[in-house]
Amino acid sequence: GKADDAFSKGKYADAKSLYKNAIGIKAGEEYPKDQIIKADKKLAEEAKAEKDRLATQQLDANYQLQIEKADVAFKSGNYTNALSFYKAAQALKSAEKYPSDQIQKIGELQAEIAAKEASAEAELKVLAEYKKYISDGDNAFVSKNYEAAKKAYESALSLKENEAYPKQKIAT
């Protein structure tokens, strides 16, 4: 009847109500009682599916938000923040490849930056040492201590062999 029709169309709440009416008419019938149990089970399944759908939707939204924040930080060169946002996204969806790729890129970029900084620091050290030898050489030259001056200019030249100044001073 109407109850079975509603049940077959997935209208479990309506079907349940109609089956209850049927029990009121024929209290001894088992079929309506069994169908009410089935309808309750179907309603519970639907509720769980809806809850899961909403949870997935929320997870997707959170993931997307973390990725957007990470991408903005990454593009502006703020790798520390980008890294924490990509890690947060990765924690939400570990199967996604994008955050892992970006985390790896950041690691490579940070290593590159560290290497450049170390290289620049080393160059500054060499330059400071070079300038000191030149200064020592100039002071010795002015004092007419030519042996010490030559030694200082040679030391400067050993650090920067293409520099003309120490070569000229050694030649004079």
Side-chain angles (χ1 to χ4, degrees), residues 78-113:
N78 186 341
Y79 301 128
T80 305
N81 280 354
L83 190 61
S84 69
F85 290 130
Y86 286 128
K87 283 183 177 177
Q90 190 178 44
L92 292 170
K93 290 187 168 190
S94 59
E96 290 291 327
K97 191 173 171 354
Y98 182 70
S100 302
D101 290 349
Q102 291 302 96
I103 288 168
Q104 186 178 342
K105 262 187 207 170
I106 289 171
E108 291 165 4
L109 287 168
Q110 286 176 327
E112 229 175 80
I113 290 167

Side-chain angles (χ1 to χ4, degrees), residues 35-67:
Q35 289 303 98
I36 288 171
I37 292 168
K38 286 180 184 176
D40 282 340
K41 188 177 176 192
K42 292 286 188 185
L43 287 168
E45 287 171 6
E46 283 180 349
K48 185 188 178 317
E50 179 62 10
K51 186 179 172 189
D52 291 349
R53 187 188 67 75
L54 290 173
T56 299
Q57 196 174 31
Q58 183 64 46
L59 177 81
D60 290 347
N62 286 342
Y63 172 81
Q64 207 49 51
L65 180 65
Q66 295 304 316
I67 291 296

Side-chain angles (χ1 to χ4, degrees), residues 121-143:
E121 206 174 295
E123 281 180 42
L124 285 174
K125 226 178 191 180
V126 167
L127 184 62
E129 216 176 318
Y130 171 82
K131 284 181 177 179
K132 183 173 180 347
Y133 285 133
I134 293 295
S135 172
D136 290 350
D138 288 347
N139 290 337
F141 192 84
V142 167
S143 305

Side-chain angles (χ1 to χ4, degrees), residues 9 32 71 111 139 154 166 170:
K9 289 180 179 171
D71 286 346
N139 290 337
E154 285 171 347
I170 291 169

